[in-house]
Amino acid sequence: MCGIVGYIGHQKASHLLVNGLKRMEYRGYDSAGISFLENGKINILKQKGKVENLDRLVPHDLINTTIGIAHTRWATHGFPNDVNAHPHTDNTGNISVVHNGIIENYTAIRTKLKQDGYSFFTDTDTEVLAVFIGAFYEKVNNLEEAVRMALSEVDGTYGIAVLSSYEPDKIIAARMGSPMVLGIGENEYIIASDAAAIIAHTNKVIYLDDGEMVIVTREGFITKTVLNEETKRQIEAIEFDIQQIEKSGFDHFMLKEIYEQPETVKNAFRGRLLIEKGNVKLGGLNSVIEKLRTAKRIIIIACGTSWHAALVAEYMIEQLAHIPVEVEYASEFRYRNPVIGPEDVVFAISQSGETADTLAAVKEAKQKGATVLGFVNVVGSSIARETEAGTYLHAGPEIGVASTKAFTSQLTVMALVALMLGRMRTLSQLDGKRIALEISELPEKITKVFDQLKQIKEIVDEYAHAKNFLYLGRGFNFPLALEGALKLKEISYIHAEGYPAAEMKHGPIALIDENMPVVFIATQDEIYDKVLSNIEEVKARKGKIIAIANEGDERIKLVANHVIYIPNTLPMLNPILAVVPLQLMAYFMALKLGCNVDQPRNLAKSVTVE
Ligand code: M6R
């Protein structure tokens, strides 16, 4: 979604700001803009479309300023056009604001400001905030006070940066429900909504808390709450390096991230698996271990791909630990007054740790007294900080909008949690050891899946004309059917649906004819034979069958048009291997159809609005 970067220091700001925006392009956006101070005046350049366009628009050679703010916008209020692009200014043009999030009471504020004689030229809630700050400035003649007073009256979420010609050597940033990070360099400061825009300059950062603001000058910075109480913040280190957010020779981030999975899965269990004891050590959960031991029920909240990981986790935990698990869309959970209480343990799964619905669901669960744990990739993110305890995924930065390596890391961490919970209850050491050993072999087995590239590309060539795809699986593979379909539709724009294979005959079977490719995840488990019967049902109606099957499965060849083989593992771990060909199929399909793989239309990497 939207991205913010601001700079104050000794370097020329315009290049630095535009390059910062480029680092955040992966988040998804539709316009970009920059505001800088030169000769005591605020200048703004902004444009619909890519940062590249903005880069061409900015006369870098003519700009000598060392202070500015910049933004990439993902439209919420008003069309994605030049006028609605950020930065926005107050009515005098002396205060410019960039903003992520949504000001929910902007209509009421705008009406009041209009009555007071202020004018509006855009459809955005951000312009309302800028004019609001300007109105307060007229009264108090102090930028920090004006920002504070405006923020005290807005409802909703914001990450903002403010630049003003009234106080030219200052940037003010603040956050409420939308991340904001201060990077601390040598006599320079970079503020950004994403550490990716900072890492090229420094790895020393302060993550602002909700309701906190930072006032940055050339001499230093102070942090305080919007209520004007000074805060003491610890400087932290960004956990990744610049290489991890570069393509490193791959054509796309998505492909790079698919190929990173042997390593990222290893990172998810590294130092956590106790193979000999058939157990797991998850330091981040130590403080809640008794809660977990006695939990009567686990509720998992998540969105999108993370929700699919939660569905697999449900099967894993129920099978190994016999604890009832319920999986909920965070967006539904947050508004339906869920029946939960102090005996419940809630897991929040999220790659970004910033998904607005998941964050709100976490707060709702906490409000009701549940123990809420976070399983998050981005270190220091809002969900990581809002939850009582948790476990990081350690997948490294995921840049491709389509989630790939985060998913397999989520599954790996969930397998560890299920094993740990199982060992606390009925699972024997021997069974635990067998599972731990299988987990430890996953990286090598994922590497073997890459040997199937030729077959995957052949399938893509044959079905690139298809308008629809069906993905079917049962048991652990049912959530995988959903994930395979989501991957295909989000990056290739081909309509795809995932179903539990047996549900097909209750409706979707009507769609099947010789033009319908049907992907079956048909790995070896107790219901393999039932899946074969479902395949026969599709075959009888001339559907084209693409099967993901385990090595050595000869029966599948007799019924499927195409088979992609993956190594054998335990049924509960099959999704970690079987998703890889589904990711690759979606990737090569999108490539063949000329789609923008890393930044698919309309999508944002982290969905920080409702
Ligand atoms: O950052 P999160 O894991 O909370 O994000 C959840 C979804 O927005 C995300 O998984 C989305 O569905 C991806 N585009 C899937 O590829």
Side-chain angles (χ1 to χ4, degrees), residues 303-306 349-355 358 383 401-403 410 483 486-487 490 603-607:
C303 302
T305 286
S306 298
I349 304 182
S350 173
Q351 187 287 128
S352 62
E354 300 295 346
T355 301
T358 311
I383 294 171
V401 163
S403 187
Q410 287 165 342
E483 176 60 9
L486 179 67
K487 283 289 90 77
E490 66 181 340
L603 289 179
K605 181 61 185 163
S606 79
V607 183

PDB file of all heavy atoms in Angstrom, residues 303-306 349-355 358 383 401-403 410 483 486-487 490 603-607, ligand 1:
ATOM      1  N   CYS A 303      -5.438 -13.449   7.131  1.00  0.00           N
ATOM      2  CA  CYS A 303      -6.050 -13.058   5.850  1.00  0.00           C
ATOM      3  C   CYS A 303      -5.262 -13.689   4.697  1.00  0.00           C
ATOM      4  O   CYS A 303      -4.057 -13.928   4.837  1.00  0.00           O
ATOM      5  CB  CYS A 303      -5.998 -11.550   5.643  1.00  0.00           C
ATOM      6  SG  CYS A 303      -6.789 -10.593   6.917  1.00  0.00           S
ATOM      7  N   GLY A 304      -5.919 -13.872   3.585  1.00  0.00           N
ATOM      8  CA  GLY A 304      -5.253 -14.277   2.340  1.00  0.00           C
ATOM      9  C   GLY A 304      -4.454 -15.556   2.490  1.00  0.00           C
ATOM     10  O   GLY A 304      -4.916 -16.555   3.051  1.00  0.00           O
ATOM     11  N   THR A 305      -3.232 -15.493   1.973  1.00  0.00           N
ATOM     12  CA  THR A 305      -2.360 -16.676   2.016  1.00  0.00           C
ATOM     13  C   THR A 305      -2.102 -17.114   3.454  1.00  0.00           C
ATOM     14  O   THR A 305      -2.035 -18.312   3.746  1.00  0.00           O
ATOM     15  CB  THR A 305      -1.042 -16.335   1.284  1.00  0.00           C
ATOM     16  OG1 THR A 305      -1.320 -16.312  -0.116  1.00  0.00           O
ATOM     17  CG2 THR A 305       0.048 -17.349   1.555  1.00  0.00           C
ATOM     18  N   SER A 306      -1.989 -16.155   4.357  1.00  0.00           N
ATOM     19  CA  SER A 306      -1.757 -16.510   5.760  1.00  0.00           C
ATOM     20  C   SER A 306      -2.951 -17.276   6.321  1.00  0.00           C
ATOM     21  O   SER A 306      -2.801 -18.152   7.173  1.00  0.00           O
ATOM     22  CB  SER A 306      -1.518 -15.247   6.592  1.00  0.00           C
ATOM     23  OG  SER A 306      -0.372 -14.591   6.120  1.00  0.00           O
ATOM     24  N   ILE A 349      -1.618 -14.992  12.352  1.00  0.00           N
ATOM     25  CA  ILE A 349      -0.562 -15.306  11.384  1.00  0.00           C
ATOM     26  C   ILE A 349      -0.520 -14.191  10.342  1.00  0.00           C
ATOM     27  O   ILE A 349      -1.546 -13.834   9.762  1.00  0.00           O
ATOM     28  CB  ILE A 349      -0.815 -16.663  10.683  1.00  0.00           C
ATOM     29  CG1 ILE A 349      -0.960 -17.785  11.722  1.00  0.00           C
ATOM     30  CG2 ILE A 349       0.307 -16.990   9.707  1.00  0.00           C
ATOM     31  CD1 ILE A 349      -1.158 -19.170  11.114  1.00  0.00           C
ATOM     32  N   SER A 350       0.668 -13.664  10.108  1.00  0.00           N
ATOM     33  CA  SER A 350       0.787 -12.584   9.124  1.00  0.00           C
ATOM     34  C   SER A 350       2.226 -12.459   8.637  1.00  0.00           C
ATOM     35  O   SER A 350       3.152 -12.512   9.442  1.00  0.00           O
ATOM     36  CB  SER A 350       0.350 -11.265   9.775  1.00  0.00           C
ATOM     37  OG  SER A 350       0.589 -10.185   8.913  1.00  0.00           O
ATOM     38  N   GLN A 351       2.389 -12.315   7.355  1.00  0.00           N
ATOM     39  CA  GLN A 351       3.729 -12.049   6.824  1.00  0.00           C
ATOM     40  C   GLN A 351       4.180 -10.663   7.240  1.00  0.00           C
ATOM     41  O   GLN A 351       5.200 -10.494   7.898  1.00  0.00           O
ATOM     42  CB  GLN A 351       3.709 -12.182   5.288  1.00  0.00           C
ATOM     43  CG  GLN A 351       5.058 -12.095   4.603  1.00  0.00           C
ATOM     44  CD  GLN A 351       5.693 -10.714   4.555  1.00  0.00           C
ATOM     45  OE1 GLN A 351       6.851 -10.532   4.952  1.00  0.00           O
ATOM     46  NE2 GLN A 351       4.963  -9.718   4.114  1.00  0.00           N
ATOM     47  N   SER A 352       3.380  -9.662   6.877  1.00  0.00           N
ATOM     48  CA  SER A 352       3.797  -8.268   7.076  1.00  0.00           C
ATOM     49  C   SER A 352       3.722  -7.830   8.532  1.00  0.00           C
ATOM     50  O   SER A 352       4.447  -6.946   8.960  1.00  0.00           O
ATOM     51  CB  SER A 352       2.891  -7.349   6.255  1.00  0.00           C
ATOM     52  OG  SER A 352       1.550  -7.479   6.713  1.00  0.00           O
ATOM     53  N   GLY A 353       2.785  -8.425   9.259  1.00  0.00           N
ATOM     54  CA  GLY A 353       2.550  -7.954  10.627  1.00  0.00           C
ATOM     55  C   GLY A 353       1.830  -6.621  10.660  1.00  0.00           C
ATOM     56  O   GLY A 353       1.712  -5.999  11.710  1.00  0.00           O
ATOM     57  N   GLU A 354       1.341  -6.171   9.499  1.00  0.00           N
ATOM     58  CA  GLU A 354       0.681  -4.866   9.436  1.00  0.00           C
ATOM     59  C   GLU A 354      -0.732  -4.957   8.877  1.00  0.00           C
ATOM     60  O   GLU A 354      -1.385  -3.917   8.735  1.00  0.00           O
ATOM     61  CB  GLU A 354       1.486  -3.886   8.564  1.00  0.00           C
ATOM     62  CG  GLU A 354       2.896  -3.610   9.021  1.00  0.00           C
ATOM     63  CD  GLU A 354       2.975  -2.890  10.365  1.00  0.00           C
ATOM     64  OE1 GLU A 354       1.943  -2.369  10.832  1.00  0.00           O
ATOM     65  OE2 GLU A 354       4.072  -2.877  10.962  1.00  0.00           O
ATOM     66  N   THR A 355      -1.191  -6.140   8.509  1.00  0.00           N
ATOM     67  CA  THR A 355      -2.514  -6.254   7.886  1.00  0.00           C
ATOM     68  C   THR A 355      -3.577  -5.688   8.829  1.00  0.00           C
ATOM     69  O   THR A 355      -3.724  -6.150   9.968  1.00  0.00           O
ATOM     70  CB  THR A 355      -2.794  -7.727   7.546  1.00  0.00           C
ATOM     71  OG1 THR A 355      -1.749  -8.154   6.669  1.00  0.00           O
ATOM     72  CG2 THR A 355      -4.134  -7.910   6.866  1.00  0.00           C
ATOM     73  N   THR A 358      -6.137  -8.078  10.471  1.00  0.00           N
ATOM     74  CA  THR A 358      -5.550  -9.005  11.448  1.00  0.00           C
ATOM     75  C   THR A 358      -5.181  -8.248  12.722  1.00  0.00           C
ATOM     76  O   THR A 358      -5.416  -8.732  13.837  1.00  0.00           O
ATOM     77  CB  THR A 358      -4.317  -9.714  10.838  1.00  0.00           C
ATOM     78  OG1 THR A 358      -4.691 -10.214   9.545  1.00  0.00           O
ATOM     79  CG2 THR A 358      -3.853 -10.880  11.699  1.00  0.00           C
ATOM     80  N   ILE A 383       1.768  -6.199  14.514  1.00  0.00           N
ATOM     81  CA  ILE A 383       1.173  -7.404  15.119  1.00  0.00           C
ATOM     82  C   ILE A 383       2.179  -8.061  16.065  1.00  0.00           C
ATOM     83  O   ILE A 383       1.831  -8.528  17.149  1.00  0.00           O
ATOM     84  CB  ILE A 383       0.668  -8.383  14.033  1.00  0.00           C
ATOM     85  CG1 ILE A 383      -0.500  -7.737  13.283  1.00  0.00           C
ATOM     86  CG2 ILE A 383       0.249  -9.729  14.633  1.00  0.00           C
ATOM     87  CD1 ILE A 383      -0.978  -8.469  12.060  1.00  0.00           C
ATOM     88  N   VAL A 401       4.519  -9.336  -4.417  1.00  0.00           N
ATOM     89  CA  VAL A 401       3.202  -9.171  -3.786  1.00  0.00           C
ATOM     90  C   VAL A 401       2.563 -10.531  -3.504  1.00  0.00           C
ATOM     91  O   VAL A 401       1.914 -10.723  -2.479  1.00  0.00           O
ATOM     92  CB  VAL A 401       2.296  -8.288  -4.679  1.00  0.00           C
ATOM     93  CG1 VAL A 401       0.836  -8.432  -4.298  1.00  0.00           C
ATOM     94  CG2 VAL A 401       2.724  -6.825  -4.538  1.00  0.00           C
ATOM     95  N   ALA A 402       2.789 -11.482  -4.413  1.00  0.00           N
ATOM     96  CA  ALA A 402       2.250 -12.825  -4.175  1.00  0.00           C
ATOM     97  C   ALA A 402       3.132 -13.513  -3.125  1.00  0.00           C
ATOM     98  O   ALA A 402       4.324 -13.704  -3.321  1.00  0.00           O
ATOM     99  CB  ALA A 402       2.253 -13.608  -5.475  1.00  0.00           C
ATOM    100  N   SER A 403       2.530 -13.875  -2.042  1.00  0.00           N
ATOM    101  CA  SER A 403       3.290 -14.464  -0.940  1.00  0.00           C
ATOM    102  C   SER A 403       3.711 -15.893  -1.295  1.00  0.00           C
ATOM    103  O   SER A 403       2.887 -16.709  -1.711  1.00  0.00           O
ATOM    104  CB  SER A 403       2.417 -14.464   0.303  1.00  0.00           C
ATOM    105  OG  SER A 403       3.162 -14.869   1.412  1.00  0.00           O
ATOM    106  N   GLN A 410       5.489 -20.098   7.236  1.00  0.00           N
ATOM    107  CA  GLN A 410       4.338 -20.179   8.156  1.00  0.00           C
ATOM    108  C   GLN A 410       3.988 -21.647   8.418  1.00  0.00           C
ATOM    109  O   GLN A 410       3.760 -22.047   9.566  1.00  0.00           O
ATOM    110  CB  GLN A 410       3.124 -19.464   7.542  1.00  0.00           C
ATOM    111  CG  GLN A 410       3.253 -17.945   7.538  1.00  0.00           C
ATOM    112  CD  GLN A 410       2.250 -17.255   6.637  1.00  0.00           C
ATOM    113  OE1 GLN A 410       1.649 -17.863   5.745  1.00  0.00           O
ATOM    114  NE2 GLN A 410       2.068 -15.958   6.846  1.00  0.00           N
ATOM    115  N   GLU A 483      -4.815 -22.084  -2.003  1.00  0.00           N
ATOM    116  CA  GLU A 483      -3.606 -21.278  -2.194  1.00  0.00           C
ATOM    117  C   GLU A 483      -3.154 -21.308  -3.665  1.00  0.00           C
ATOM    118  O   GLU A 483      -2.756 -20.281  -4.223  1.00  0.00           O
ATOM    119  CB  GLU A 483      -2.502 -21.780  -1.257  1.00  0.00           C
ATOM    120  CG  GLU A 483      -1.146 -21.112  -1.402  1.00  0.00           C
ATOM    121  CD  GLU A 483      -1.145 -19.595  -1.147  1.00  0.00           C
ATOM    122  OE1 GLU A 483      -2.160 -19.056  -0.695  1.00  0.00           O
ATOM    123  OE2 GLU A 483      -0.117 -18.967  -1.444  1.00  0.00           O
ATOM    124  N   LEU A 486      -5.419 -19.040  -5.564  1.00  0.00           N
ATOM    125  CA  LEU A 486      -5.143 -17.623  -5.262  1.00  0.00           C
ATOM    126  C   LEU A 486      -3.887 -17.150  -5.990  1.00  0.00           C
ATOM    127  O   LEU A 486      -3.865 -16.063  -6.583  1.00  0.00           O
ATOM    128  CB  LEU A 486      -4.980 -17.426  -3.748  1.00  0.00           C
ATOM    129  CG  LEU A 486      -4.652 -15.992  -3.302  1.00  0.00           C
ATOM    130  CD1 LEU A 486      -5.817 -15.045  -3.572  1.00  0.00           C
ATOM    131  CD2 LEU A 486      -4.279 -15.930  -1.823  1.00  0.00           C
ATOM    132  N   LYS A 487      -2.842 -17.993  -5.975  1.00  0.00           N
ATOM    133  CA  LYS A 487      -1.583 -17.591  -6.633  1.00  0.00           C
ATOM    134  C   LYS A 487      -1.850 -17.327  -8.102  1.00  0.00           C
ATOM    135  O   LYS A 487      -1.395 -16.337  -8.652  1.00  0.00           O
ATOM    136  CB  LYS A 487      -0.506 -18.680  -6.506  1.00  0.00           C
ATOM    137  CG  LYS A 487       0.201 -18.803  -5.169  1.00  0.00           C
ATOM    138  CD  LYS A 487       1.143 -17.690  -4.832  1.00  0.00           C
ATOM    139  CE  LYS A 487       0.485 -16.569  -4.087  1.00  0.00           C
ATOM    140  NZ  LYS A 487       0.184 -16.706  -2.690  1.00  0.00           N
ATOM    141  N   GLU A 490      -4.116 -14.093  -8.668  1.00  0.00           N
ATOM    142  CA  GLU A 490      -3.597 -12.774  -8.316  1.00  0.00           C
ATOM    143  C   GLU A 490      -2.497 -12.287  -9.255  1.00  0.00           C
ATOM    144  O   GLU A 490      -2.375 -11.089  -9.466  1.00  0.00           O
ATOM    145  CB  GLU A 490      -3.212 -12.646  -6.837  1.00  0.00           C
ATOM    146  CG  GLU A 490      -2.074 -13.462  -6.349  1.00  0.00           C
ATOM    147  CD  GLU A 490      -1.813 -13.250  -4.837  1.00  0.00           C
ATOM    148  OE1 GLU A 490      -2.247 -12.243  -4.263  1.00  0.00           O
ATOM    149  OE2 GLU A 490      -1.151 -14.119  -4.259  1.00  0.00           O
ATOM    150  N   LEU A 603      -3.332  -4.820  -6.436  1.00  0.00           N
ATOM    151  CA  LEU A 603      -2.933  -5.467  -5.179  1.00  0.00           C
ATOM    152  C   LEU A 603      -1.872  -4.662  -4.450  1.00  0.00           C
ATOM    153  O   LEU A 603      -1.089  -3.936  -5.054  1.00  0.00           O
ATOM    154  CB  LEU A 603      -2.386  -6.869  -5.453  1.00  0.00           C
ATOM    155  CG  LEU A 603      -3.406  -7.915  -5.882  1.00  0.00           C
ATOM    156  CD1 LEU A 603      -2.714  -9.239  -6.132  1.00  0.00           C
ATOM    157  CD2 LEU A 603      -4.462  -8.089  -4.805  1.00  0.00           C
ATOM    158  N   ALA A 604      -1.855  -4.832  -3.150  1.00  0.00           N
ATOM    159  CA  ALA A 604      -0.825  -4.199  -2.334  1.00  0.00           C
ATOM    160  C   ALA A 604      -0.153  -5.287  -1.514  1.00  0.00           C
ATOM    161  O   ALA A 604      -0.775  -6.294  -1.181  1.00  0.00           O
ATOM    162  CB  ALA A 604      -1.450  -3.175  -1.414  1.00  0.00           C
ATOM    163  N   LYS A 605       1.101  -5.071  -1.198  1.00  0.00           N
ATOM    164  CA  LYS A 605       1.831  -6.097  -0.453  1.00  0.00           C
ATOM    165  C   LYS A 605       1.311  -6.220   0.968  1.00  0.00           C
ATOM    166  O   LYS A 605       1.107  -7.312   1.469  1.00  0.00           O
ATOM    167  CB  LYS A 605       3.335  -5.772  -0.455  1.00  0.00           C
ATOM    168  CG  LYS A 605       4.188  -6.802   0.283  1.00  0.00           C
ATOM    169  CD  LYS A 605       4.068  -8.173  -0.352  1.00  0.00           C
ATOM    170  CE  LYS A 605       4.784  -9.256   0.401  1.00  0.00           C
ATOM    171  NZ  LYS A 605       4.338 -10.611   0.007  1.00  0.00           N
ATOM    172  N   SER A 606       1.155  -5.085   1.628  1.00  0.00           N
ATOM    173  CA  SER A 606       0.567  -5.244   2.957  1.00  0.00           C
ATOM    174  C   SER A 606      -0.656  -4.350   3.026  1.00  0.00           C
ATOM    175  O   SER A 606      -0.611  -3.159   2.687  1.00  0.00           O
ATOM    176  CB  SER A 606       1.586  -4.971   4.069  1.00  0.00           C
ATOM    177  OG  SER A 606       1.775  -3.624   4.269  1.00  0.00           O
ATOM    178  N   VAL A 607      -1.762  -4.969   3.409  1.00  0.00           N
ATOM    179  CA  VAL A 607      -3.059  -4.314   3.261  1.00  0.00           C
ATOM    180  C   VAL A 607      -3.379  -3.607   4.580  1.00  0.00           C
ATOM    181  O   VAL A 607      -3.929  -4.193   5.499  1.00  0.00           O
ATOM    182  CB  VAL A 607      -4.136  -5.338   2.853  1.00  0.00           C
ATOM    183  CG1 VAL A 607      -5.476  -4.637   2.624  1.00  0.00           C
ATOM    184  CG2 VAL A 607      -3.711  -6.059   1.580  1.00  0.00           C
TER     185      VAL A 607
HETATM  186  O1  M6R B   1       0.916  -9.770   5.512  1.00  0.00           O
HETATM  187  P1  M6R B   1      -0.177 -10.766   5.671  1.00  0.00           P
HETATM  188  O2  M6R B   1       0.303 -12.164   5.692  1.00  0.00           O
HETATM  189  O3  M6R B   1      -1.056 -10.474   6.869  1.00  0.00           O
HETATM  190  O4  M6R B   1      -1.079 -10.566   4.407  1.00  0.00           O
HETATM  191  C1  M6R B   1      -2.262 -11.261   4.217  1.00  0.00           C
HETATM  192  C2  M6R B   1      -2.733 -11.159   2.783  1.00  0.00           C
HETATM  193  O5  M6R B   1      -2.971  -9.832   2.431  1.00  0.00           O
HETATM  194  C3  M6R B   1      -1.723 -11.775   1.797  1.00  0.00           C
HETATM  195  O6  M6R B   1      -1.426 -13.084   2.123  1.00  0.00           O
HETATM  196  C4  M6R B   1      -2.277 -11.703   0.364  1.00  0.00           C
HETATM  197  O7  M6R B   1      -3.375 -12.542   0.233  1.00  0.00           O
HETATM  198  C5  M6R B   1      -1.182 -12.045  -0.653  1.00  0.00           C
HETATM  199  N1  M6R B   1      -1.347 -11.231  -1.818  1.00  0.00           N
HETATM  200  C6  M6R B   1      -1.219 -13.467  -1.072  1.00  0.00           C
HETATM  201  O8  M6R B   1      -0.285 -13.762  -2.048  1.00  0.00           O
END
